[in-house]
Amino acid sequence: MSSIIGKVISVAVFGESHGKMIGVTIDGLPAGIPIDEDWLNAFVQRRAAKGSAIATPRRESDIPRIISGVNPQGKSTGYPLTAVFENSNTHSSDYSFLPDRPRPGHADYPAITRSLGEDDLRGSGHHSGRLTLPQVFAGGVAMLFLRQIGVDIAAHILQVGSVRDASIDPVNPDMEALHDCHLQEVPALDPEAGQRMMQTILDAKARLDSVGGIIECAAIGLPAGLGDPMFDGIENRLA
């Protein structure tokens, strides 16, 4: 039951939502990449949208603590880079109904079954949305690496419910606008569309419901011929 992805560069996520900490180990990263910890911290903080009415009520600092793989000069060593995040704002008693009453739509039942009843289900354990935190950190490290070879990646929320934002120009994407839109509570290229998306989410929240959405992403500077022809191309993986 591993949580590892990647071949040339592998990413291993570990920990449980209500354990002491969660974290990630990135192996295969080249040596000499500048690891800008201030930028990484700001990048990670985007995930939680602290203080927002549409964010999780859980309040934690979510500051990454890098414990290996970066030298005193702030560059990758080429050996496994590991970062951890302390867990503090946990209310484990809120999950006292488990494992007797697994929640529909959650991972409770398959987790209980797969682990033969040994899974730590507090806060959804290893299946919790909190485990996206180390994944976001790993993505930030990957972006720092890609910048070294001229690759830039940015995204926005294209649609929430029936509310749609302006689309990215597929021929000449405005990367500056895509990066700047993340200064808004809802990262849409059209601020008015972002406000309507926000209201759509709040209306669904008031109904104790949820609403789906679409994210649109652009990557520029990618080298030609990237990926494999059949099994490891982007479209192949999506399919």
Side-chain angles (χ1 to χ4, degrees), residues 23-229:
V24 61
T25 295
I26 308 168
D27 198 9
L29 199 66
I33 299 169
I35 304 298
D36 186 336
E37 293 193 39
D38 290 337
W39 183 88
L40 278 172
N41 182 41
F43 181 76
V44 165
Q45 298 308 319
R46 279 175 28 185
R47 166 190 165 276
K50 291 181 175 62
S52 171
I54 59 175
T56 174
R58 187 168 177 174
R59 293 289 175 263
E60 305 196 61
S61 64
D62 290 348
I63 296 175
R65 179 161 60 92
I66 297 176
I67 61 175
S68 71
V70 178
N71 66 24
Q73 290 72 45
K75 294 185 177 181
S76 61
T77 62
Y79 299 105
L81 190 159
T82 297
V84 297
F85 299 83
E86 306 287 344
N87 291 329
S88 57
N89 186 16
T90 57
H91 302 280
S92 297
S93 61
D94 292 349
Y95 298 87
S96 58
F97 58 87
L98 294 170
D100 300 322
R101 288 183 287 134
R103 295 162 292 175
H106 285 68
D108 299 339
Y109 180 70
I112 294 167
T113 303
R114 187 171 182 177
S115 68
L116 303 179
E118 301 299 336
D119 207 321
D120 180 354
L121 299 176
R122 299 172 302 165
S124 292
H126 190 70
H127 308 270
S128 170
R130 181 156 176 76
L131 271 295
T132 60
L133 180 56
Q135 296 177 47
V136 169
F137 175 86
V141 172
M143 290 178 74
L144 290 175
F145 172 36
L146 291 171
R147 284 181 179 179
Q148 302 300 301
I149 57 174
V151 176
D152 188 19
I153 302 172
H156 72 124
I157 299 178
L158 177 63
Q159 186 169 336
V160 170
S162 61
V163 181
R164 194 173 179 89
D165 189 21
S167 294
I168 297 172
D169 181 344
V171 176
N172 186 29
D174 187 341
M175 302 303 286
E176 183 176 356
L178 285 170
H179 287 297
D180 288 347
C181 78
H182 287 273
L183 298 174
Q184 302 164 170
E185 194 164 13
V186 176
L189 294 171
D190 177 0
E192 192 273 334
Q195 292 173 5
R196 289 190 287 122
M197 289 177 181
M198 179 73 159
Q199 191 57 53
T200 297
I201 298 168
L202 292 176
D203 290 345
K205 181 180 178 181
R207 300 191 305 269
L208 302 181
D209 202 353
S210 59
V211 62
I214 301 171
I215 293 173
E216 188 177 42
C217 179
I220 63 171
L222 291 170
L226 189 67
D228 290 342

